[in-house]
Structure formats: structure tokens, C-alpha cells
Amino acid sequence: MSLLTLKDIGKIYVSEGNVAVGIRGVNLSFDRGEFVAVTGKSGSGKSTLLNVISGMDSYEEGELFIEGQPTSHYMQKEWEEYREKYISFIFQDYNIIESFTVLQNVELSLMHIEDKKERRARALELLDRVGMTSHIKQKGSKLSGGQKQRTVIARALAKDSPIILADEPTGNLDSTTSHEIIELLREVSRDKLLIVVTHNFEQVEKCATRHIRIFDGAVESDHVISHSEISSDEKTVRSSSENKKKSSDFKKGLTLGKAIFTSKPKLSFFFCLLMIIGTLGIFMVTALCGDAAVLFEKNYMFEHIDGRVVITTQNGEVMSEEDLKAISEKYGAKEYLHYDILLEDYSNYMTFEHEGEEKYLSFCYTYRESFGEDIVGKYPQNNNEVFLYMPISYQPMFGKSSVEIENIYYGSMELKVTGVKYYYDNNLTPKCLFTKEGFRTVTALHYLFDSASNDIRVNVFASEGYLINEIALYNIVPSFDMKDGTAYIESGEYRKFVNTLYDKNYRTQISFTSHYYNYDYNNYGTQKALSFTRLIEDDCIVNVPPEMNRFDGYYDGSIIVSVSLLREISEEVLERSYRQASLFFENDKEAHAAAEKLNNDGYIAVTSDTTYTPEATTVIIGLIVGLMVAFMWLMAIVFLAFFIGLCSNRTIGAFKSDMAIMRSMGIPVKVIKTGMYVRMLIALIPAYILVIATAVLIFTTPKFNEFFTYLYAWQYAVIFIGMLILTFRITRGQVRKLFSESVKKSLKGGSAE
Ligand code: ADP
Ligand code: MG
């Protein structure tokens, strides 16, 4: 059985209504070991013959048998497999991949060898055989014609196919080089079928074993030439791949992708940049989406603290401390908080000093919340102590292993920071944690300041009892340093007045008037402003203690009160106006059980994990915003896809001829396509690294954390998957463009012919 048999083969070209005969009625049989020289006039059909044999052109008539198997039913895929297995093609114009190095060009044909080192060794061996060892690192574009053809021969040999077809391989070479190439061809393909088309028979005469003349598309003559001097035991290039593990198409694609990526460094760099731009775009829009996600967060009625139950009486009666204590014991609460108003207050800030600058910390309150053992410093123990839970960007100021900023100011009250815990998710609001007493103290201050209006006044009475002056004060400053129940008037105006007073037996009284609202969530709609006045009598008013001279001048127009006095004043206001309290149970589960009992017993009890349904308008606005953000995200993706797609389509030309050459070499389209995908995925790597680096920086570097939005895992997933989809779509477009034409047409378009 012959290796290759052509039976009545005919090929007709039809283009623009003209019919041209390529070849007709060709009957030929070929075997291994033959060196067939094909000659004939230009246009006689020599190239057509080779193209048909190689499967790059279809035939309309007859049948081509390969190892006895008919091929007329072959589809593109079968032809590819056929080319991959049987054919190596050497062209007149070399068809070397110009952007690949000599070594890469040869390795391209060795992709079936899985082991990288082995592949390299084999390529070097073949290049040595064609005398190209000294040029292995050179790019295809930098070679002379002879060098190119040598490389192509090495490449053809690398494939180790039984058939080598050469279409005028020396057509562009000078005669000396031509001879060398022909001899090289003969030498390296003794056990193969070698068909060489040439218009210069003398060049091949010495080596050829057969001479076929073509005339007008038909075989004119077919002679066997015998060469006695050729011995069959000469060195042949043995297949090294037969008994080795074969590389899968995917692995070949991977190897090819890497080669394509590195062979065009400028273009690859450009694509990396494109991908980075794309990824940053998605990154930014996704960060925005995160803001919109807030709209879909749970709407808690109260600040949710595990185990918290909010309670009021049904008829709006005031609950005293004693009442609460009794309720707390009866229902098994771990603790109660009489005035819990601040837990629902989200717009607070504290100030602190860092390197001579005043800084702010907005925060919300929490109570009985644990931040674990892994904290800097310790939890608060005293009335004037506070624990801060805040973003890592505060770490440089507050310290990494010990608390470095000791004092923080809430209004005019100085608090001690005992411990801190940092978090990375800068979407969160910082929290302040106090002791029960501490919470009560800040509540007092907050409540007095938050009232609709305060009126603090110093009234000076003459010894006879009538009012001689009224001086307004503007500020109330609680101090933990003042003796319990005392107050001090820090007012230049007041001091000046009493110093000039003739009557030294004057009396001073401070009146404190506050307008406040009836406050509880149950009667929120019916707020009432009430007013109350509290007098601080003479015996409470003291001179400033010597250790407290820090108040001198600075708080002019203030009354400095001991914390106990502050609480005394506020107690009255709170008691009159505030009807809500919190009970704390072990966890939400117990809280639910207790709330049920409390409700059955006539209280209004709500667990803090209770959510409310926002008003329809809020829902609709939320929905619109959400949709808009989603739309933006989509538009960003579409725009990026369009932009990157446009850029990539402009570069497609650079690949056209390369891909055609690869196809003519018998590399399956699947492998080449995989290679193109791999190339794009490699271009994506720097962008991914950038995103990961950003994520790591946000997670580790306080300064970075301050300026970049913290993204959640799902958002990173969105970015990564989004970019992946984008890359796949773009590559699919590229690949479609690349493979829309036949191999022959692409080759023509890409070559100088
Ligand atoms: P050779 O290689 O011997 O110079 P070819 O095989 O290229 O000749 O051409 C054989 C005949 O087929 C010529 O008449 C040529 O015009 C025609 N032919 C070759 N390729 C095409 C094609 N793609 N379209 C139309 N006619 C073609
Ligand atoms: Mg030709």
C-alpha cells in the first residue's frame, strides 16, 4: 500500500465567473523514501498539486488516499488532523513567523513534546542539523533568505511528518545557497516522502529519485531516477516523540500562547495596559456599586446589638431606675441601660490632638459589645474611660501595640482612651464603647446640649436680696476633676463685676433652663418641647481649685461642673422626657423569648434585630439608585469591551499571517485559538496582580486604607469574573476574524507574494 495515492484528481478554480483548471486527471502514487521533483511551466498546476496534497485546497474530482484511506469526505477538522499528522510544508517565501526567534519557530513544531527541556534539546539538535546553531536567538525577521529556509526545514523536520512538501523552496535564493538547501533537504528526509516543486531541475537532479513533469494541469511524464550511491543506512532523524507522553491540545495552546505573548513585546505591553485600564474601570464602578449596596442593607429599627431588647411602657409612664432593675431581674436580663438614647444617635464626633493638630473621629455608640481579646490596651473600667473601634487608618495616630493618644474630647468633656481595636472595612462607622456609668455621663452631656435651647445664667443678688446683675454663660464643661456636686464660674465678665462690687455680701445663683422634647420611639410623632429650670445655689459654687488652672481664660463664659452635678441636672430632664430603656440578654435568641414575655405582660418590647419596611418612596428611590448603578456598571463594561475590542481589532493584522503559517504547519485551529486566549489571559495577569496588590495594601497599610474603598470578596469576584468575561469576548471576536478566511488566502494576504 502506498503512502499517498491520487486517483483522477481534478481541481477547478472558479473566481468572478472565470473557470481555471488547476489540475486535472492526476493519477500518482508516492511512497516513503522518495525524492520527487515536480517541474513544469508557470501556471501549469504545480502549486495546486501540492496544495491539494497538503489539504490546504479542496479537490472536486477523484480521490486522494492516505495510507489507503479515502479523504473526499473530510471536513475542515479532519483536514487539520491530516495536516498535523502527515504534512510539513516548505514555501518559496519561507513563511517563517517573523516575530518568533529561530528557536521558537522550531519549538512551535515540537509542541507535542510535553517536557519543556526535552523540547528545547530536540529543537537545538534539529537546528544544529541545519547549521543554524549560532542564530537560535535571532528573530525570524532578521534572517537572510537561506537562513529562513534552513529554519523552516528544521521546523518541518521537527514535526516529524512522513510527507514534506516544498513549493519552490529555493526560488528566492542564490544558486550556491539553493544547492545547500536541496542537499540539506535530501539529507534530512531520507525516510520520508519529499516532493519538491522547482522550475530549475538541474538543482535537484543529483538528489531526486523521481521526476514528474506537469503540463497544463496534467501529468506529462513520470520518470524514476536511480542513484546507486545512496545507501539506506545513513543517519536519519528518528522520531523522538512516538514513545513519549503526548502533550494535550490545551497544553500546546498554553505553550503557543506564551510564545505569541512574548514574541510581540510592545503589543503585549500595550494589551497589559489596556487590561489595567479596563480593570481599574471596573474596580472604580464596582466600588460605587458597593455604596449602592447600602440601600439593600437591613433596616434595623434600633442599633442592633446581640441580645438587646428595647422596652417602653404601654401608657408612656416613666420607668424609674428601680422599675427597670426589677424588670431586669424578673425577666433574666444580664444588664439594663436606663437612658439608651445615644445608641440610636449616629452623627457624633469626638476630637483629639495629634502632633499639634486637631483631628476628628465620627462615631456611633455601642454598649456591651465585645470586640474580642485581640485589642490594643484594655476595655474601659471607669466613668471617664472609652474604648474605640475604628478603621486601621487611625493606627498611625492611636498606636499599634499600645494606646498612644490618651485623651479624646466629647464636646468639652475630656475622656481617657483605654483601648482600641482597628478594622479594615472602611465602609463601617467607628464605634465608642463606655462603661455603664460612662455611657450615662456622655448621655447627660449630650442630652443637655442636644436640647432645643439652653439658657445658663449667673444671677447676682445684693445682700438685701434683690437681683443686681444677670450674666449669660454659653457653655457647660463637665470635669471629672471637680469635687462632687460643685461648679465653678469661668467668666471674665462675672469676675470683673463682683470685684468692683461694693457690697461684698452678694449672693450668686446659677439658673439652668433647658427646653427638651418628649422622647421615645413609640410617641415619636408627638414630640413636645417642655422647659425646666434648675438652680445651682451658692454653696455649690466654688473657686477654681489650683490644679485646675487649665480652664483659665480658655473657657471664658462657661460653667465648669463636676460630673456628678452634670448628671444631677440631666437626670431631671431625662426622667421627664425619656421613656425608653434597653435590656441586655445573652443573645438575640434569649432576647426574642424575653421580648415575647414582656409583650404579654403589657410592655412594649422590641428586639434590636427587628427590621422595618421603609416607606414606598424610599424603596422606589433605592431601587432606582440601584438600577442606575447596575446600569453604570454595565455601561462601563460595554464601553471597556468596545474600547479594548477596537484596540485589539486594530492589532489583528499582526497575527493574520502568523496564524496562517501555523495552520499551514498543521497546528490545529483549536490549539491556535487556545494560544490566542492564553495570550490575552497572560495580558490580564498584571491587571489582576494590581488589583490583588491594592486589596493587600488596603488590608495592611493604614494610609492606603484611608483613601481606597474597602471592597468585599464578592466585589473582587465581580471584578475578576467581569474582566475574564470581557477578555473572552474580545478574544472570541479576534479569533473569529482570524479564522474567517482559508489558510491559503490568509497566507497570500500576509506574505509578500
Ligand atoms: P504553478 O504553481 O505551476 O505556477 P498554479 O498551481 O499556481 O501553477 O496554477 C495553476 C492554474 O490554476 C493557473 O491557471 C492559475 O491561474 C490557476 N489558479 C491557481 N490558484 C488559483 C486561485 N486561487 N484562483 C483561481 N485560479 C487559480
Ligand atoms: Mg506555483
Side-chain angles (χ1 to χ4, degrees):
M1 187 180 57
S2 306
L3 174 64
L4 188 71
T5 305
L6 283 74
K7 203 173 154 233
D8 282 328
I9 291 283
K11 166 81 200 169
I12 294 160
Y13 290 107
V14 182
S15 57
E16 289 155 14
N18 295 324
V19 178
V21 176
I23 46 173
R24 57 197 160 105
V26 173
N27 283 295
L28 288 167
S29 240
F30 301 101
D31 257 316
R32 281 189 173 82
E34 283 191 276
F35 184 139
V36 185
V38 180
T39 58
K41 283 200 304 198
S42 176
S44 57
K46 306 180 297 289
S47 296
T48 308
L49 180 68
L50 287 199
N51 287 338
V52 167
I53 291 175
S54 70
M56 284 194 281
D57 246 344
S58 57
Y59 56 92
E60 284 84 37
E61 288 167 17
E63 183 68 77
L64 176 84
F65 296 92
I66 181 74
E67 293 184 318
Q69 299 299 312
T71 60
S72 52
H73 61 279
Y74 276 12
M75 304 299 285
Q76 189 196 311
K77 193 168 171 284
E78 282 89 14
W79 281 120
E80 269 174 24
E81 283 165 9
Y82 164 82
R83 271 207 296 277
E84 188 183 15
K85 195 168 168 203
Y86 292 102
I87 307 292
S88 292
F89 213 116
I90 297 165
F91 297 86
Q92 175 181 352
D93 49 348
Y94 327 120
N95 281 344
I96 192 167
I97 297 180
E98 307 239 311
S99 57
F100 279 29
T101 63
V102 167
L103 192 61
Q104 276 178 323
N105 262 284
V106 176
E107 282 186 332
L108 200 58
S109 276
L110 289 167
M111 284 193 304
H112 52 274
I113 302 174
E114 197 170 5
D115 187 67
K116 219 171 152 178
K117 273 192 195 141
E118 201 185 317
R119 199 188 307 144
R120 172 73 33 111
R122 176 90 179 130
L124 291 173
E125 186 190 324
L126 290 163
L127 282 166
D128 182 43
R129 226 171 136 60
V130 299
M132 285 293 290
T133 306
S134 50
H135 301 286
I136 54 164
K137 291 270 178 242
Q138 236 160 48
K139 287 228 168 183
S141 53
K142 298 265 152 63
L143 299 173
S144 73
Q147 287 168 335
K148 281 182 185 172
Q149 210 58 305
R150 280 168 191 275
T151 307
V152 171
I153 291 170
R155 197 174 72 186
L157 289 174
K159 225 182 114 182
D160 203 30
S161 60
I163 302 170
I164 297 179
L165 306 173
D167 194 352
E168 312 226 17
T170 59
N172 291 342
L173 302 175
D174 61 69
S175 65
T176 327
T177 318
S178 297
H179 272 290
E180 282 169 26
I181 291 294
I182 293 295
E183 256 156 45
L184 178 63
L185 263 177
R186 169 72 261 182
E187 194 192 318
V188 296
S189 59
R190 288 200 190 282
D191 58 341
K192 296 168 191 281
L193 165 61
L194 177 62
I195 305 177
V196 180
V197 164
T198 177
H199 55 263
N200 189 353
F201 182 63
E202 287 91 73
Q203 255 177 21
V204 299
E205 206 174 358
K206 269 208 292 197
C207 308
T209 64
R210 187 171 166 187
H211 183 192
I212 296 171
R213 280 202 192 86
I214 307 279
F215 180 75
D216 208 6
V219 175
E220 190 189 28
S221 68
D222 186 354
H223 295 299
V224 173
I225 311 160
S226 46
H227 296 282
S228 52
E229 76 272 22
I230 295 169
S231 66
S232 60
D233 58 27
E234 247 184 85
K235 191 172 143 200
T236 55
V237 181
R238 276 276 93 220
S239 160
S240 67
S241 57
E242 263 160 29
N243 39 14
K244 290 275 170 0
K245 203 174 146 197
K246 290 238 171 160
S247 190
S248 69
D249 277 358
F250 177 72
K251 280 207 175 123
K252 286 182 198 167
L254 214 66
T255 313
L256 182 61
K258 277 189 248 170
I260 299 173
F261 184 84
T262 49
S263 69
K264 291 184 167 48
K266 274 185 203 154
L267 200 60
S268 296
F269 180 73
F270 172 67
F271 265 91
C272 288
L273 262 178
L274 268 188
M275 292 303 188
I276 287 172
I277 292 169
T279 310
L280 287 184
I282 299 188
F283 192 97
M284 268 149 65
V285 183
T286 308
L288 270 174
C289 290
D291 286 352
V294 173
L295 292 167
F296 302 102
E297 271 177 9
K298 282 187 177 168
N299 295 297
Y300 286 121
M301 288 177 76
F302 301 97
E303 169 74 2
H304 178 225
I305 299 168
D306 195 35
R308 179 182 175 206
V309 173
V310 180
I311 157 173
T312 54
T313 55
Q314 206 133 44
N315 51 11
E317 268 170 38
V318 175
M319 284 179 288
S320 70
E321 193 82 14
E322 286 69 39
D323 293 342
L324 261 178
K325 204 169 172 183
I327 296 170
S328 186
E329 269 163 25
K330 187 176 167 195
Y331 293 89
K334 301 274 172 229
E335 205 177 312
Y336 64 90
L337 197 62
H338 196 179
Y339 305 116
D340 64 357
I341 180 172
L342 290 185
L343 291 179
E344 269 69 61
D345 201 304
Y346 302 109
S347 52
N348 299 290
Y349 67 89
M350 293 212 194
T351 56
F352 60 94
E353 208 178 277
H354 175 68
E355 288 173 355
E357 259 183 81
E358 195 177 39
K359 305 265 182 188
Y360 295 83
L361 174 73
S362 341
F363 70 97
C364 62
Y365 290 91
T366 188
Y367 189 67
R368 264 186 75 90
E369 195 173 335
S370 175
F371 298 97
E373 293 299 310
D374 183 25
I375 57 168
V376 180
K378 52 188 198 305
Y379 286 111
Q381 304 288 318
N382 297 314
N383 201 353
N384 61 338
E385 291 174 351
V386 63
F387 174 89
L388 306 173
Y389 176 63
M390 56 191 170
I392 190 73
S393 53
Y394 282 88
Q395 196 193 53
M397 295 180 264
F398 280 87
K400 200 168 179 177
S401 50
S402 63
V403 183
E404 264 146 40
I405 288 182
E406 283 181 2
N407 298 325
I408 190 160
Y409 295 89
Y410 179 71
S412 52
M413 184 157 58
E414 183 184 280
L415 296 162
K416 286 204 168 6
V417 183
T418 56
V420 292
K421 165 112 180 173
Y422 303 110
Y423 58 78
Y424 293 94
D425 181 355
N426 55 32
N427 301 303
L428 300 175
T429 311
K431 286 179 181 178
C432 287
L433 180 74
F434 291 90
T435 61
K436 189 171 182 169
E437 289 303 301
F439 192 87
R440 174 68 185 80
T441 305
V442 284
T443 304
L445 185 64
H446 177 95
Y447 209 85
L448 291 176
F449 273 106
D450 212 38
S451 309
S453 65
N454 289 299
D455 186 36
I456 315 167
R457 217 171 274 273
V458 187
N459 301 320
V460 185
F461 298 90
S463 49
E464 288 84 9
Y466 54 89
L467 186 67
I468 50 173
N469 201 358
E470 258 188 353
I471 295 155
L473 297 178
Y474 312 101
N475 196 10
I476 180 160
V477 181
S479 167
F480 290 97
D481 300 334
M482 294 276 292
K483 226 175 96 199
D484 276 0
T486 60
Y488 164 65
I489 302 160
E490 173 62 45
S491 163
E493 198 186 336
Y494 167 72
R495 218 175 287 173
K496 217 162 120 193
F497 178 72
V498 294
N499 279 347
T500 53
L501 211 58
Y502 177 73
D503 177 3
K504 287 293 168 199
N505 292 322
Y506 64 92
R507 264 189 328 112
T508 305
Q509 186 190 53
I510 302 163
S511 85
F512 184 91
T513 309
S514 179
H515 303 273
Y516 58 90
Y517 291 114
N518 238 356
Y519 180 89
D520 68 72
Y521 83 90
N522 214 21
N523 294 306
Y524 207 78
T526 57
Q527 291 176 340
K528 268 186 272 169
L530 303 169
S531 153
F532 106 105
T533 304
R534 164 72 204 241
L535 300 178
I536 299 173
E537 294 294 342
D538 224 9
D539 50 349
C540 292
I541 302 165
V542 294
N543 286 325
V544 67
E547 72 273 16
M548 289 186 63
N549 54 13
R550 69 187 166 91
F551 288 118
D552 254 354
Y554 186 68
Y555 282 112
D556 193 27
S558 301
I559 171 172
I560 295 148
V561 294
S562 75
V563 164
S564 69
L565 194 56
L566 172 83
R567 286 179 53 169
E568 220 182 292
I569 302 166
S570 68
E571 187 73 32
E572 213 168 324
V573 189
L574 283 164
E575 212 171 75
R576 285 200 215 179
S577 66
Y578 200 69
R579 291 165 173 82
Q580 176 191 306
S582 282
L583 300 177
F584 293 89
F585 296 86
E586 192 61 43
N587 51 40
D588 275 344
K589 202 173 154 233
E590 282 187 24
H592 275 275
E596 207 185 316
K597 272 190 235 157
L598 281 159
N599 279 316
N600 287 339
D601 296 351
Y603 295 97
I604 297 173
V606 184
T607 54
S608 66
D609 62 352
T610 307
T611 55
Y612 65 92
T613 318
E615 280 175 41
T617 45
T618 316
V619 174
I620 290 165
I621 289 169
L623 217 68
I624 291 171
V625 172
L627 282 174
M628 267 165 60
V629 170
F631 181 72
M632 251 171 69
W633 199 84
L634 223 88
M635 286 311 290
I637 298 260
V638 167
F639 173 76
L640 288 169
F642 179 76
F643 177 65
I644 299 177
L646 199 77
C647 293
S648 74
N649 281 348
R650 299 216 147 208
T651 63
I652 204 81
F655 292 101
K656 217 160 182 167
S657 68
D658 291 2
M659 298 300 134
I661 293 167
M662 288 178 202
R663 277 169 82 187
S664 75
M665 284 167 57
I667 299 175
V669 167
K670 204 172 126 196
V671 172
I672 304 175
K673 279 183 180 172
T674 311
M676 287 302 278
Y677 279 104
V678 169
R679 161 188 172 253
M680 286 295 262
L681 289 177
I682 295 174
L684 199 55
I685 291 173
Y688 275 19
I689 290 175
L690 197 77
V691 171
I692 292 169
T694 311
V696 168
L697 278 175
I698 291 172
F699 205 75
T700 53
T701 315
K703 257 272 163 291
F704 224 77
N705 190 277
E706 193 179 340
F707 294 110
F708 285 83
T709 316
Y710 179 93
L711 297 190
Y712 301 108
W714 69 266
Q715 288 173 311
Y716 281 106
V718 163
I719 296 169
F720 283 123
I721 293 168
M723 275 316 281
L724 217 56
I725 293 170
L726 201 70
T727 307
F728 269 92
R729 285 202 66 94
I730 290 161
T731 316
R732 200 174 66 177
Q734 279 188 328
V735 164
R736 278 196 181 154
K737 270 219 158 75
L738 274 177
F739 295 104
S740 58
E741 289 176 346
S742 73
V743 191
K744 255 187 73 191
K745 205 166 164 214
S746 306
L747 270 179
K748 284 238 167 73
S751 71
E753 209 177 29

